[in-house]
Amino acid sequence: MAIYLVQHGKSLPKEVDPEQGLSEQGIAEVKLIAGVAKNYRITVSKILHSGKIRAARTAELFADALQPGQGISAAEGLNPLDSVDAFAMKLDAESQIMIVGHLPFMEKLVSRLTTGREGHTIFKFQNGGIVCLDQEKARGKWLIKWALMPKID
């Protein structure tokens, strides 16, 4: 069992789209990663997103591929500068949820879960990529299990 963390796909600049919806490249990369996840038979029960258009659209693209049984919905506490502590305390690897959010929140969340502190960037996210975390129940520790990224560089 695991949780899946996703930084939204690449978005348009504010000058082009004030709400920063996904760019064509962002859509293509999210569809690519979602397709790989589907081929690996990744099971997601629910997809949560921040409510911002770029995160909601990313969640929709993953939902199209992964068909989460409980659907997708916006969740409080996933905005770029939100505190990760309250959100981290609610997470359970048994839930099999996917969380679509933003930087720096996503990197801080991975750091908080794996090291107990949010100040160390231990994983560099890419737009549209997935970081899978699992939890050692006996010790309560979270570990990075695997990652799928649009680019290897």
Side-chain angles (χ1 to χ4, degrees):
M1 299 299 209
I3 61 170
Y4 307 93
L5 306 179
V6 175
Q7 180 189 358
H8 63 78
K10 285 187 180 174
S11 58
L12 294 166
K14 275 188 176 181
E15 306 79 51
V16 175
D17 177 3
E19 296 198 15
Q20 294 187 283
L22 294 183
S23 67
E24 287 184 31
Q25 180 183 1
I27 292 168
E29 289 175 348
V30 170
K31 284 182 176 181
L32 171 71
I33 295 299
V36 171
K38 178 181 178 178
N39 288 340
Y40 277 122
R41 295 185 178 93
I42 304 300
T43 303
V44 174
S45 64
K46 183 177 189 174
I47 302 176
L48 302 176
H49 62 82
S50 69
K52 292 183 183 289
I53 288 176
R54 56 194 176 273
R57 182 67 177 124
T58 300
E60 290 168 1
L61 293 169
F62 273 104
D64 288 346
L66 302 178
Q67 299 295 305
Q70 297 173 37
I72 63 175
S73 62
E76 294 290 319
L78 293 175
N79 286 311
L81 300 176
D82 285 346
S83 170
V84 299
D85 286 332
F87 198 83
M89 299 304 286
K90 296 187 247 180
L91 294 176
D92 176 12
E94 300 295 319
S95 66
Q96 290 288 112
I97 62 170
M98 177 175 278
I99 301 160
V100 181
H102 313 267
L103 296 184
F105 181 88
M106 301 306 283
E107 288 178 350
K108 288 181 177 182
L109 182 60
V110 169
S111 179
R112 168 68 172 77
L113 291 172
T114 58
T115 70
R117 293 186 256 158
E118 64 180 65
H120 299 83
T121 301
I122 62 163
F123 190 88
K124 183 75 175 141
F125 275 77
Q126 287 183 25
N127 292 101
I130 304 171
V131 177
C132 174
L133 285 107
D134 202 354
Q135 191 176 34
E136 287 183 329
K137 285 293 183 184
R139 298 185 327 157
K141 291 262 192 188
W142 288 89
L143 305 167
I144 297 172
K145 191 171 181 180
W146 53 261
L148 292 172
M149 296 292 134
K151 293 185 170 72
I152 300 176
D153 58 339

